[in-house]
Amino acid sequence: MLTALTVKKHERRKGLKGLVDRLKRDRAIVQVKRARGVYLKQITYISYGRKPRFEKLKKIIGDSKNRIICSPKIDFHDECGFRRFENSDFTARLCTNLAICLLSMCDFAEKLKIGIYDPDGRDSEFLKYVMKYSSDVTVVTNSPDVYYDENELIMENMGACATVTKRTEELELCQLIIAPRTIENTFSSNDKTLILTNGRPKAEVLGEIYYKYYFKMPNGFDRIKPQEIETEYFCSALYSLGRQYSLGSIVPTMCSNFSTSQTVKSLYAQFEKINKTDE
């Protein structure tokens, strides 16, 4: 069962009514919701004090204390032992799914130099899908052994293999760079490079970067999603905690960056224009 927490701060009234509010005890309302075989325990904590006293929720939250689905605005103090659920696997899939969708639209994909930036080697299984569209693929990773094994299988099945290296400067000439996890370190690229990644980069990188994805949540799940929780984050919990792995096939309908939003069609049109200009 998944556990979601919402905190509602009761506004203190003035005068005698405010005095009554100060005497009230915090309380929790628990609802169990179900959709498509997934059970969600929704805890609504109503706080009358200055700070929520989360230690009162230990029995209610139980084994879910390290994976609570909640808003990032909730600040769990260390003493209570609670942790917000965090996992990037689902958003990594959104990133790679959009990349594959874009490549499938390109009649010039074989001419592209494609980079995969995967420092931890967590997304090596994605390589074979990229290699279906281009044989000029460079993987930059600090875990080359993981990719060597994947490369051998691709060579046996497709007769081609990717370049695997630790040198980030090898990405500089790529027209498309796919970084399934949040970019935490600077690497070489150019201002025409299209970069698809997971979450806003923590390092300055040159190129046209998109890191936020939009999609329609499958019917049913919207009935149990807490209102203040973002759709992408909630689906991430469904995917990783609720084992709803079918969500991993979702292709985003839109993406955005610091200032611009693009549909898949408009993103492709921009990508096509840049690459045909360079021919």
Side-chain angles (χ1 to χ4, degrees):
M1 181 181 292
L2 309 186
T3 299
L5 174 64
T6 298
V7 175
K8 291 186 177 181
K9 183 77 173 177
H10 189 279
E11 284 191 24
R12 283 190 179 180
R13 297 170 291 183
K14 295 180 180 180
L16 290 175
K17 291 181 178 179
L19 179 61
V20 172
D21 288 341
R22 285 195 292 272
L23 295 175
K24 287 183 177 179
R25 294 184 177 181
D26 293 358
R27 59 195 178 97
I29 300 171
V30 180
Q31 295 175 294
V32 177
K33 303 176 182 179
R34 180 181 182 275
R36 299 170 69 117
V38 176
Y39 287 88
L40 176 77
K41 183 194 294 181
Q42 171 68 62
I43 303 170
T44 302
Y45 183 91
I46 301 174
S47 174
Y48 291 91
R50 292 182 178 179
K51 290 184 179 180
R53 288 171 284 186
F54 292 122
E55 59 274 7
K56 293 189 173 185
L57 297 176
K58 286 184 178 180
K59 288 185 178 180
I60 299 174
I61 289 177
D63 294 338
S64 298
K65 65 180 182 179
N66 293 320
R67 53 181 187 275
I68 301 171
I69 303 166
C70 63
S71 166
K73 294 179 181 179
I74 294 179
D75 182 21
F76 293 123
H77 52 272
D78 293 338
E79 292 79 8
C80 74
F82 295 158
R83 295 291 181 273
R84 181 176 185 261
F85 165 76
E86 295 282 359
N87 188 288
S88 61
D89 289 348
F90 175 70
T91 309
R93 291 296 295 266
L94 292 178
C95 172
T96 55
N97 288 352
L98 179 57
I100 293 301
C101 177
L102 197 64
L103 289 172
S104 70
M105 298 167 70
C106 295
D107 57 5
F108 53 89
E110 188 55 41
K111 299 177 183 179
L112 293 174
K113 182 174 179 60
I114 300 172
I116 297 176
Y117 181 66
D118 182 18
D120 297 331
R122 294 172 62 183
D123 300 286
S124 61
E125 74 283 351
F126 171 59
L127 178 61
K128 59 178 175 288
Y129 299 105
V130 177
M131 295 291 291
K132 288 181 179 179
Y133 297 98
S134 175
S135 56
D136 192 357
V137 179
T138 298
V139 178
V140 173
T141 180
N142 294 324
S143 303
D145 291 349
V146 176
Y147 274 93
Y148 290 156
D149 294 340
E150 194 70 31
N151 240 346
E152 284 188 11
L153 292 174
I154 292 171
M155 175 62 79
E156 291 176 6
N157 296 325
M158 303 172 65
C161 63
T163 299
V164 179
T165 179
K166 293 184 178 181
R167 292 166 49 87
T168 60
E169 52 266 37
E170 296 294 330
L171 297 172
E172 188 169 359
L173 298 178
C174 293
Q175 290 98 346
L176 172 64
I177 296 175
I178 305 149
R181 309 288 166 168
T182 302
I183 297 171
E184 298 192 358
N185 297 293
T186 300
F187 55 73
S188 300
S189 56
N190 62 77
D191 57 359
K192 292 184 178 180
T193 304
L194 174 61
I195 301 174
L196 299 178
T197 188
N198 174 348
R200 184 167 182 158
K202 296 181 180 179
E204 188 173 342
V205 180
L206 193 62
E208 188 73 17
I209 305 171
Y210 291 90
Y211 58 84
K212 179 71 176 174
Y213 305 101
Y214 305 89
F215 57 93
K216 181 177 174 57
M217 188 164 55
N219 291 335
F221 289 135
D222 56 338
R223 295 198 306 269
I224 65 172
K225 185 185 81 67
Q227 187 175 0
E228 71 279 9
I229 299 296
E230 286 193 352
T231 297
E232 182 182 306
Y233 174 72
F234 188 65
C235 284
S236 178
L238 292 172
Y239 180 79
S240 299
L241 299 178
R243 301 181 181 180
Q244 298 299 300
Y245 300 126
S246 62
L247 296 175
S249 63
I250 290 176
V251 177
T253 55
M254 292 184 66
C255 60
S256 67
N257 55 21
F258 312 98
S259 59
T260 306
S261 294
Q262 298 266 26
T263 64
V264 174
K265 188 175 181 180
S266 66
L267 182 65
Y268 169 73
Q270 178 181 321
F271 189 54
E272 181 184 40
K273 182 178 180 180
I274 291 173
N275 284 283
K276 289 200 171 179
T277 300
D278 291 342
E279 288 181 358

